[in-house]
Amino acid sequence: MIARANVRPPRGPTPRLPRTNDWGIARFELDYSASAELPISRAAGRARARDRTLRLFDTTVALRPSGRALGEVSFDLSREGVVPFDASARAEGLGMSGLVGLFGGHAAAFTGHVAAADARLAGQLEPGAHLLDGAHGDARLVARDGEVRRDLPFLLYLASASGGLNPFASTDRVRYRKISGAFTLAEGRVATETFVLNGPDMRIAFNGGV
């Protein structure tokens, strides 16, 4: 999946490292082929190895078809068979479909643009396991000026529950001017207490989990 990987020393004079247990420092660049599963075209940043911890920081990930994510991640290399990690990131210049697709969601169910998005996630990498298995974290999202398809589970429920009183019941999409929400992930369950969709046709306030 990776077309090219280039690891090189920092540009300019070699920085004088403090007297710590650091044993490696580098810059990295990764180019991804168009056939890669994740919608990533390029990643670049800095890496530091200390004891049995690898930290990637000042990292910028270019996304397809547009937008980027900025953040950092630390990997604990002290355990055999699993690699615990702790990551934080924020997104810029991204469409809603791209953000949802990045996490394996129903990308085609959303249009609009992301005004603000940030997240923190901790878990562990393990052969044969999904990235989110056993992970926990939280995220915040603000999106503007788009549509959401009705075949999403909670919107289907709202449409069927309100019947003819709901203008959304007779259409397959709902328009929105703004979506905002705060989410938590724990034990394989995503929950929200503050999901709000404001649009010209209706306003939805939702709390719960899946």
Side-chain angles (χ1 to χ4, degrees), residues 26-188:
R27 292 185 186 274
F28 66 89
E29 295 179 2
L30 302 174
D31 289 344
Y32 289 76
S33 69
S35 61
E37 292 182 8
L38 291 175
I40 296 174
S41 60
R42 183 176 181 272
R46 294 196 288 168
R48 183 187 296 271
R50 173 179 295 182
D51 295 330
R52 295 190 178 185
T53 299
L54 174 64
R55 178 174 170 242
L56 308 182
F57 60 104
D58 291 345
T59 301
T60 300
V61 178
L63 303 170
R64 295 193 303 266
S66 64
R68 64 177 186 168
L70 303 94
E72 66 175 69
V73 58
S74 294
F75 300 99
D76 179 356
L77 307 180
S78 64
R79 298 172 58 183
E80 185 175 351
V82 298
V83 180
F85 70 88
D86 192 318
S88 60
R90 72 180 191 275
E92 296 180 349
L94 191 59
M96 271 292 284
S97 61
L99 180 65
V100 174
L102 185 62
F103 291 95
H106 301 284
F110 292 88
T111 65
H113 70 273
V114 176
D118 55 74
R120 186 174 185 92
L121 184 68
Q124 62 183 29
L125 305 178
E126 187 173 1
H130 190 276
L131 175 65
L132 299 182
D133 288 349
H136 59 88
D138 54 75
R140 180 182 64 94
L141 169 68
V142 178
R144 296 186 182 277
D145 303 322
E147 295 180 334
V148 184
R149 270 179 27 190
R150 195 179 80 169
D151 56 4
L152 293 180
F154 75 92
L155 290 178
L156 272 175
Y157 173 79
L158 285 172
S160 61
S162 55
L165 298 177
N166 185 350
F168 181 54
S170 60
T171 184
D172 62 352
R173 288 183 177 267
V174 60
R175 296 176 295 168
Y176 70 86
R177 295 191 180 99
K178 180 180 179 181
I179 288 177
S180 61
F183 308 88
T184 59
L185 170 68
E187 299 179 351

